[in-house]
């Protein structure tokens, strides 16, 4: 059976609550204050079983201007509306505002319930009907039936139910896209059960035993029990009026306006990319950075609107823009919202979320507006491609794309498989499921080659660039797994060569100038002549250019001509190999050696002996046991 929600809308005292009671037997004025004042302050809930067997959930919303924010919360999840207009008063200010809110929130079906017909003469009723028909011209209720009813006498109730049944039958149930989400409109506790929250589910499905997270607070709890319209149930899905008994959560850890959803699927944000439609009746243009009240789900948040291509939004116009909020909200792409002016408080605009957690944009950038236009009206493939590109080198996961696109899980999975097979997307971290847009990967590959080339130009005597230095210079420091993926790709394509901890371009070779070659020969001769007792670096460096000397020493180390034992001690390759051979032979024969024995064997001072022993420990040839060394067995 389809899960549909009917919302009432209309001016205060036009009989919404009385009509719901007459239809369902449920008095939705549950608060003492509501009873005393005769008006609905909070949302009320009931259900109506139609002749076809279809069950409608009913949200009875407040009509008083002071409680319009509660009306917005109720309208957020409805599929069809009953616009209630009293026959003795006709269209009133809150009638118009409620209609605007329903339209801004995307409601597309409903009817007009013309109440209190028992209080007026037939001629007056006809005039009011004509006035209503003129009012709804150009709205989503333009062709909707106007049903005269009386909650007191029962007149027209059967016809109203029949019309609701007809409209419900023609409506397609909204698919339960994405994860379970429940904007919370009530929080209370029941002795013996604990914390209970209620709301109308706007996505997915939840079952008893599921773990849920409270957004934006970040606390988690387990589902202990569920009810739909007061009846215990094992699961609940999109469109159902749901009460959730939460285990492990105190009442003061959750509040109206929070969202209950699956752990980790939402990302609270202070910035939203949105499309905004201003009402034609908006009193004055909405200026750039003007303070606003944004209503989405069951939350009201203060913020400011930031236009990207204009200084103000005129009545009746629309724009792509950003909203900066004072408190973080947890929404998904496609979520609807209503904007009310800061003061005086009036509904002035509404729209749809395009990106739920964007970066802050600069103004008057055509490329930014083009991306927002794609997010507004692009096909599924285009949405994925834009979000993957905007994610840049951070990459994104399939779960991220659920939040960013609000596509059905099966559709998204099939689309990603196709885009991966065509290499429009690249999965660079299988464990985390991270995806990279092909253009982002190509830009990083090209940047890596350019950075290595620049390094060669600045360090012509160095055989290559340290890998870690390259990683940190790319896009402000790439995540190691992504860097490894890019390096493998560059090597496979023949654009980069990796040697130990260095990378270089294929054509790079160390070429020494004539003066460099002469100095290199001089350095090698000094260390060759030194043999087992080489000169100190201070002696070799006397009278030389320090930078040039340092570069040549690095070249000679890379070639294996010299080996650095410690900061100022280098050995010529053949001399070091001779020492190593003597040491190994002694250890294989005697099993161990101490510093004094090593000194006597080589005939060298401790200036050389201690650094050599520590070097052989470092390269894991030997292992120190107390004051002695033994061969390290591999």
């Amino acid at each position: 059976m389809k899960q549909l929600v009917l919302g009432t809308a209309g001016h205060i005292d036009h009989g919404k609550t009385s009509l719901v009671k007459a239809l369902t037997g449920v008095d939705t004025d549950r608060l003492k204050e509501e009873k005393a004042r005769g008006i609905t302050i909070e949302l009320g809930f009931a259900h109506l079983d139609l002749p076809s067997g279809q069950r409608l959930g009913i949200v009875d919303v407040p009509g008083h201007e002071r409680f319009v924010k509660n009306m917005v919360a109720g309208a957020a999840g409805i599929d069809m509306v009953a616009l209630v207009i009293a026959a003795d008063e006709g269209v009133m200010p809150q009638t118009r505002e409620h209609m605007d809110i329903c339209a801004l929130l995307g409601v597309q079906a409903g009817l007009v319930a013309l109440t209190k017909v028992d209080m007026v003469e037939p001629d007056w009723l006809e005039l009011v009907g004509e006035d209503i028909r003129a009012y709804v011209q150009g709205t989503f209720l333009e062709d909707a039936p106007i049903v005269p009813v009386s909650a007191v006498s029962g007149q027209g109730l059967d016809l109203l139910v029949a019309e609701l049944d007809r409209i419900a039958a023609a409506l397609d149930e909204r698919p339960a896209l994405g994860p379970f989400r429940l904007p919370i409109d009530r929080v209370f506790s029941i002795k013996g059960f604990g914390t209970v929250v209620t709301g109308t589910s706007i996505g997915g499905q939840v079952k008893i035993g599921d773990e849920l997270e409270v957004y934006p607070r970040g606390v988690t709890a387990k589902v202990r029990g569920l009810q739909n319209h007061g009846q215990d149930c094992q699961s609940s899905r999109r469109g159902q009026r749901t009460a959730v008994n939460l285990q492990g959560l105190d009442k003061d850890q959750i509040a109206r306006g929070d969202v209950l959803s699956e752990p980790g699927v939402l990302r609270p944000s202070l910035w939203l990319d949105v499309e905004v439609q201003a009402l034609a009746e908006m009193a004055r243009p909405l200026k750039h950075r003007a303070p606003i009240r944004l209503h989405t789900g069951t939350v009201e948040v203060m913020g400011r609107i930031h236009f990207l291509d204009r200084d103000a939004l005129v009545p009746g116009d629309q724009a792509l823009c950003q909203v900066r909020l004072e408190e973080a909200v947890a929404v998904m792409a496609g979520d609807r919202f209503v904007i009310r002016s800061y003061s005086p408080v009036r509904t002035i605009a509404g729209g749809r979320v395009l990106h739920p957690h964007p970066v802050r944009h600069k103004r008057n950038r055509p490329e930014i507006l083009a991306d927002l236009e794609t997010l507004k009206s692009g096909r599924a493939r285009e949405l994925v491609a834009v979000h993957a590109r905007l994610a840049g080198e951070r990459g994104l996961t399939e779960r991220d794309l659920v939040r960013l696109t609000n596509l059905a899980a099966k559709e998204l999975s099939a689309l990603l498989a196709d885009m991966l097979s065509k290499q429009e997307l690249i999965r660079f971290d299988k464990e985390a499921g991270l995806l990279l847009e092909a253009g982002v990967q190509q830009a990083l590959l090209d940047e890596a080659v350019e950075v290595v080339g620049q390094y060669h130009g600045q360090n012509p005597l160095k055989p290559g660039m340290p890998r870690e230095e390259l990683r940190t210079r790319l896009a402000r420091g790439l995540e190691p797994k992504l860097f490894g993926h890019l390096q493998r790709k560059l090597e496979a394509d023949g654009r980069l060569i990796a040697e130990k901890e260095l990378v270089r371009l294929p054509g790079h070779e160390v070429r020494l100038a004539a003066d460099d070659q002469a100095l290199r020969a001089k350095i090698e001769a000094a260390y060759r002549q030194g043999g087992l007792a080489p000169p100190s670096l201070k002696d070799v460096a006397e009278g030389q250019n320090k930078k040039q000397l340092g570069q040549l020493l690095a070249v000679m180390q890379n070639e294996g001509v010299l080996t650095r034992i410690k900061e100022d001690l280098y050995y010529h390759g053949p001399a070091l190999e001779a020492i190593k051979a003597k040491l190994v032979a002694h250890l294989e024969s005697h099993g161990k050696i101490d510093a004094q024995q090593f000194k006597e064997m080589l005939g060298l001072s401790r200036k050389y002996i201690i650094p050599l022993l520590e070097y052989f420990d470092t390269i894991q040839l030997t292992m120190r046991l107390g004051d002695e060394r033994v061969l390290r067995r591999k």
Side-chain angles (χ1 to χ4, degrees):
M1 184 182 297
K2 292 186 289 189
Q3 300 298 324
L4 299 175
V5 178
L6 169 72
T8 65
H11 196 75
I12 183 175
D13 202 31
H14 276 207
K16 295 187 295 298
T17 301
S18 297
L19 180 61
V20 171
K21 184 176 181 180
L23 289 171
T24 68
V26 176
D27 185 354
T28 57
D29 278 350
R30 55 183 174 79
L31 302 180
K32 291 182 179 179
E33 186 183 358
E34 292 176 335
K35 298 289 189 185
R37 297 172 62 182
I39 63 171
T40 298
I41 298 171
E42 278 285 1
L43 299 170
F45 305 96
H47 64 270
L48 174 64
D49 291 321
L50 299 172
S52 64
Q54 173 71 51
R55 170 170 284 190
L56 281 183
I58 299 179
V59 180
D60 180 27
V61 303
H64 195 287
E65 188 278 332
R66 285 176 54 197
F67 308 115
V68 168
K69 68 177 182 180
N70 292 347
M71 185 272 163
V72 177
I78 69 174
D79 302 286
M80 51 193 289
V81 65
L83 181 64
V84 178
I85 302 176
D88 60 340
E89 288 192 329
V91 176
M92 297 292 284
Q94 259 54 66
T95 310
R96 299 179 185 277
E97 187 165 19
H98 281 207
M99 265 290 286
D100 289 338
I101 290 169
C102 289
L104 292 170
L105 291 175
V107 181
Q108 295 294 322
L111 52 72
V112 178
L114 185 55
T115 58
K116 302 185 181 182
V117 296
D118 55 313
M119 298 176 62
V120 298
E121 297 296 326
D123 290 347
W124 177 259
L125 187 63
E126 185 176 346
L127 288 173
V128 172
E130 291 175 358
D131 184 48
I132 293 172
R133 184 59 66 192
Y135 166 65
V136 297
Q137 286 294 313
T139 73
F140 69 93
L141 292 181
E142 182 173 8
D143 298 319
I146 300 175
V147 183
V149 293
S150 169
V152 176
S153 69
Q155 177 185 342
L157 292 180
D158 290 343
L159 177 58
L160 180 64
V161 170
E163 289 290 353
L164 291 173
D165 205 1
R166 180 186 63 79
I167 295 169
L171 280 178
D172 292 327
E173 182 180 21
R174 297 186 200 178
L177 298 178
F180 171 76
R181 289 193 293 156
L182 186 84
I184 295 168
D185 52 46
R186 288 182 65 202
V187 181
F188 53 93
S189 59
I190 299 178
K191 189 174 182 180
F193 289 90
T195 302
V196 177
V197 301
T198 66
T200 301
S201 172
I202 59 173
Q205 184 174 2
V206 67
K207 305 184 296 298
I208 291 177
D210 286 351
E211 185 179 22
L212 298 176
E213 183 172 347
V214 180
Y215 295 90
R217 298 171 187 265
V219 295
T220 58
K222 186 169 286 189
V223 178
R224 182 179 182 182
L226 291 168
Q227 283 193 350
N228 292 143
H229 301 294
Q231 301 295 317
D232 290 340
C233 58
Q234 294 298 307
S235 65
S236 181
R237 60 191 177 96
R238 189 246 160 246
Q240 291 184 320
R241 180 68 195 167
T242 305
V244 185
N245 182 199
L246 295 172
Q247 182 180 356
L249 198 67
D250 293 333
K251 179 183 174 184
D252 58 3
Q253 291 180 279
I254 191 168
R256 177 191 176 121
D258 293 342
V259 178
L260 202 59
S261 188
E262 299 169 18
V265 300
L266 300 181
R267 181 174 158 187
S269 175
L270 294 171
W271 285 91
L272 302 176
D273 281 345
V274 298
E275 58 169 321
V276 170
Q277 173 68 56
L279 294 175
E281 297 79 18
M282 187 169 65
R284 56 182 179 271
L286 183 60
K287 294 182 179 181
H288 175 61
R289 301 193 79 254
I292 59 169
R293 303 171 185 269
L294 184 136
H295 298 259
T296 184
T298 56
V299 68
E300 175 189 17
V301 187
M302 303 300 297
R304 290 184 181 272
I305 193 158
H306 291 244
F307 296 114
L308 301 175
D309 63 347
R310 66 195 70 196
D311 293 324
L313 183 68
V314 299
D317 205 358
Q318 56 184 358
L320 301 171
C321 55
Q322 289 196 296
V323 174
R324 172 65 163 90
L325 302 172
E326 293 182 3
E327 300 175 44
V329 296
V331 297
M332 290 175 60
D335 284 359
R336 293 273 181 171
F337 59 85
V338 168
I339 291 176
R340 306 191 82 208
S341 54
Y342 181 75
S343 180
V345 182
R346 295 285 186 273
T347 301
I348 56 173
R352 186 167 60 99
V353 175
L354 301 178
H355 194 315
H357 44 83
V359 298
R360 182 176 180 178
H361 301 316
K362 293 183 179 179
R363 302 185 71 199
N364 301 311
R365 295 294 181 91
E367 66 277 12
I368 293 173
L369 292 168
D371 283 342
L372 292 180
E373 191 63 45
T374 300
L375 296 181
K376 173 186 174 183
S377 54
R379 296 174 299 169
R381 195 181 208 92
E382 295 170 322
L383 297 181
V384 171
V386 166
H387 280 299
R389 177 168 52 78
L390 292 177
E393 69 277 0
R394 299 186 309 276
L396 41 62
T397 65
E398 185 168 344
R399 172 166 278 196
D400 292 329
L401 286 167
V402 167
R403 175 176 64 250
L404 292 168
T405 65
N406 213 349
L407 294 172
K410 288 184 178 179
E411 179 186 2
L412 179 58
S413 293
L415 176 57
L416 292 182
D418 186 55
M419 295 180 75
L420 284 165
S421 69
K422 294 177 179 176
Q423 295 192 333
E424 297 170 27
L425 295 176
I426 291 88
R427 181 175 281 120
F428 68 88
D429 184 344
K430 292 184 179 180
E431 184 179 349
L434 283 166
L435 305 169
L436 197 67
E437 195 262 339
V440 172
Q441 174 177 268
Q442 190 59 51
L444 289 171
L445 293 172
D446 293 342
E447 183 184 355
V449 171
E450 182 180 354
V451 169
V452 174
Q454 291 172 351
Y455 185 88
H456 289 334
Q458 295 164 359
N459 303 275
L461 298 184
K462 291 187 177 182
M465 181 178 189
R467 298 187 198 204
E468 183 61 16
E469 183 175 347
L470 174 59
R471 185 187 72 82
T472 57
R473 286 181 59 181
L474 287 176
R476 301 173 303 280
L478 291 182
E479 189 273 334
K481 286 190 176 181
L482 175 55
F483 179 72
H485 163 79
L486 295 173
Q487 182 183 311
R488 290 189 293 272
K489 173 71 173 168
L490 288 166
E491 290 184 68
D493 293 345
R495 302 182 69 189
L496 208 63
I497 295 174
E499 295 171 335
K500 298 181 180 178
E501 293 305 313
L502 301 178
V503 291
R504 63 176 176 84
L505 300 183
H508 176 69
E509 294 180 2
V510 175
R511 293 185 176 89
L512 300 180
D515 60 335
D516 290 328
Q517 291 177 0
L519 179 56
R520 182 191 183 282
K522 183 178 178 181
I523 295 170
E524 184 175 1
Y527 281 103
R528 185 189 303 112
Q529 292 168 8
L532 300 187
S536 70
L537 182 59
K538 180 180 179 181
D539 293 336
V540 174
E542 188 175 355
Q544 305 299 332
N545 180 285
K546 289 186 178 180
K547 180 178 180 182
Q548 183 187 25
L549 178 65
Q551 291 176 336
L552 288 173
L553 287 172
V555 170
M556 296 172 76
Q557 285 184 84
N558 185 66
E559 294 173 344
V561 174
L562 295 180
T563 298
R564 184 181 182 184
I565 303 302
K566 68 172 190 176
E567 185 177 354
D568 60 348
L569 180 60
Y570 290 78
Y571 263 85
H572 194 239
L576 186 62
E577 284 300 315
I579 295 173
K580 178 180 176 183
K582 287 185 178 183
L583 176 62
V584 170
H586 178 91
L587 291 174
E588 288 178 343
S589 175
H590 298 86
K592 57 186 179 180
I593 194 171
D594 61 21
Q596 183 61 30
Q597 291 169 328
F598 191 46
K599 178 177 180 294
E600 292 171 357
M601 183 178 73
L602 296 180
L604 297 175
S605 68
R606 292 182 66 86
K607 179 176 75 171
Y608 298 104
I609 293 302
I610 300 304
L612 281 168
L613 286 174
E614 291 176 348
Y615 166 75
F616 288 127
D617 290 342
T618 300
I619 65 171
Q620 298 189 344
L621 176 70
T622 59
M623 180 170 60
R624 182 173 180 174
L625 297 176
D627 293 331
E628 297 174 326
R629 260 73 175 187
V630 298
L631 278 177
R632 184 183 289 271
R633 301 299 179 184
K634 297 182 179 179

